[in-house]
Amino acid sequence: MNDATARAVERMLAADPVWTETGTAGERIGLDRHTLLHAGPPFADPAEICPPILNAAAAALLFEGMAGSVEEARAMVRSGTVMLRPAQDFGVVTPLAAVVSRSMWLHVVEDAGGSGARAYSPLNEGGGPALRFGIVSGAVVERLRLLHGTVGPALAGIGPVALSAIAREAMEQGDELHGRVGVASALLTETLVSRLGGTGEVCAFLKEAGQFFLNPWMAACKTMLLAGDGVPGAALVTAAGGNGVRFGLRLSGMMGEGWASAPVAAPQGPDIGASRPRLPAIGDSAVIDALGFGALALDAAPLLRAELGAAAETAIAAADRLLCADHPVHGRRVGLDARAVLLGGPVPPVCLAALHAAGEDGIVGRGLAWHPPSCHAEAVAAVDRLSRAGFPDAPDRRA
């Protein structure tokens, strides 16, 4: 890595993500009622929006009381009456097809290390009918009402939760912190249930929500990446995600502007039930893998490693060639250097669930997706262009 990337990585390594509070998107990020946030880079046109995100948007508008039917809600999105914007442009990371609307509650994760970095994520819906699966039904809307009418307010005063300590312990017990978060979720749930008194509807929900750790951990990873953002000339990946059509990146040296994106393939791996058409990679959870966990940490998750087979071995082998430095808490290499990809490095992998392309059946499988290499080339070119234009002393070390 060049000197600029090394500075960005140093800042990232110093970050200490802590879940500090919970509040609505309207309160915490000023989201207005006519804007919904989605994963990955922007859509070029409302007509490009994939069916699962369109379904999630419809469910969110029904939840908000802005539409009286699914078709009315879809028409509001297609016409541009309601705008869809990338969540990471607001410091938010959202899983799979889930959208964020004004009344939804968010985890607020801050860097206790003092960088000022802060990121947000919606609450995890647990199993069963869920917005993130890209389906729309009365059951999905009812789950949103439970989550944001009862669970969110109950967590508002839960107090600070140090996320790195939970993550470290969970990795020691077989989680890679993306495809497998069962141990981490159990540890987090134990803390939350204890603070909530151990009984009641919210505690019952948390005990059944086996992936509840995933969403605050997404925000924790985004917080660490943001701590390394905004360094001229730096090629550290600080944003990553798919929107079901394209996969996008942003690097530290892009100074918070624009996305580098390209069409992306679907995750490849085991099916759930009969084989069905898979949506191209989707979700902001790709920030977990961009930091160095998930697909780049499958050596820590032997069960998932065995399930994914040869693809997992390819992903594990990529870690040493792509990641920048040892993390002082996790004892693993972290930080994805986009220049390493251009210098002949492997294509970075992401652990992802696979959604039904038509938005009818929810999750149909799981597996690994791979960054489009052209994203890295475009992003590094943008960093170098900005360096030459506004920061002439920054080194130009393209391949």
Side-chain angles (χ1 to χ4, degrees), residues 186-245:
L187 294 170
L188 176 61
T189 296
E190 182 180 358
T191 297
L192 299 180
V193 168
S194 174
R195 294 183 187 183
L196 290 169
T199 60
E201 183 179 23
V202 175
C203 289
F205 172 85
L206 292 171
K207 290 175 183 177
E208 295 296 322
Q211 291 189 314
F212 200 78
F213 179 79
L214 179 63
N215 292 32
W217 181 242
M218 287 170 59
C221 291
K222 182 64 179 180
T223 298
M224 289 185 272
L225 294 176
L226 285 174
D229 204 22
V231 178
L236 177 71
V237 175
T238 56
N243 65 16
V245 179

Side-chain angles (χ1 to χ4, degrees), residues 38-320:
H38 67 84
F43 292 105
D45 184 272
E48 186 185 47
I49 298 168
C50 63
I53 286 185
L54 187 61
N55 286 345
L61 293 174
L62 291 171
F63 160 70
E64 293 284 354
M66 292 180 63
S69 69
V70 171
E71 281 310 312
E72 180 186 358
R74 287 173 174 157
M76 293 171 70
V77 175
R78 291 191 186 104
S79 68
T81 302
V82 171
M83 293 185 61
L84 285 176
R85 298 183 62 184
Q88 291 188 62
D89 288 356
F90 292 75
V92 179
V93 279
T94 190
L96 293 175
V99 300
V100 174
S101 64
R102 178 177 173 82
S103 299
M104 293 181 182
W105 286 71
L106 303 175
H107 302 283
V108 182
V109 177
E110 303 181 52
D111 174 20
S115 72
R118 179 186 294 114
Y120 312 83
S121 63
L123 309 181
N124 188 280
E125 305 148 283
L131 195 69
R132 69 186 186 277
F133 299 156
I135 53 178
V136 57
S137 68
V140 170
V141 176
E142 284 305 310
R143 178 62 62 91
L144 290 175
R145 289 173 179 153
L146 166 65
L147 191 67
H148 301 293
T150 303
V151 178
L155 295 176
I158 203 69
V161 179
L163 295 168
S164 285
I166 294 174
R168 183 181 65 246
E169 184 174 350
M171 290 196 79
E172 292 171 354
Q173 298 183 51
D175 284 356
E176 40 67 73
L177 303 179
H178 191 175
R180 284 182 61 92
V181 293
V183 175
S185 292
L187 294 170
L188 176 61
T189 296
E190 182 180 358
T191 297
L192 299 180
V193 168
S194 174
R195 294 183 187 183
L196 290 169
T199 60
E201 183 179 23
V202 175
C203 289
F205 172 85
L206 292 171
K207 290 175 183 177
E208 295 296 322
Q211 291 189 314
F212 200 78
F213 179 79
L214 179 63
N215 292 32
W217 181 242
M218 287 170 59
C221 291
K222 182 64 179 180
T223 298
M224 289 185 272
L225 294 176
L226 285 174
D229 204 22
V231 178
L236 177 71
V237 175
T238 56
N243 65 16
V245 179
R246 300 175 70 85
F247 190 89
L249 296 175
R250 184 179 288 152
L251 309 184
S252 174
M254 291 171 71
M255 315 307 286
E257 296 297 327
W259 287 78
S261 71
V264 65
Q268 296 301 305
D271 290 315
I272 297 174
S275 180
R276 286 154 289 181
R278 295 181 171 206
L279 186 76
I282 188 170
D284 285 333
S285 57
V287 298
I288 297 172
D289 308 71
L291 186 60
F293 301 100
L296 291 170
L298 282 166
D299 60 290
L303 293 178
L304 183 56
R305 178 179 183 173
E307 182 181 344
L308 296 176
E313 303 310 310
T314 301
I316 292 167
D320 283 343

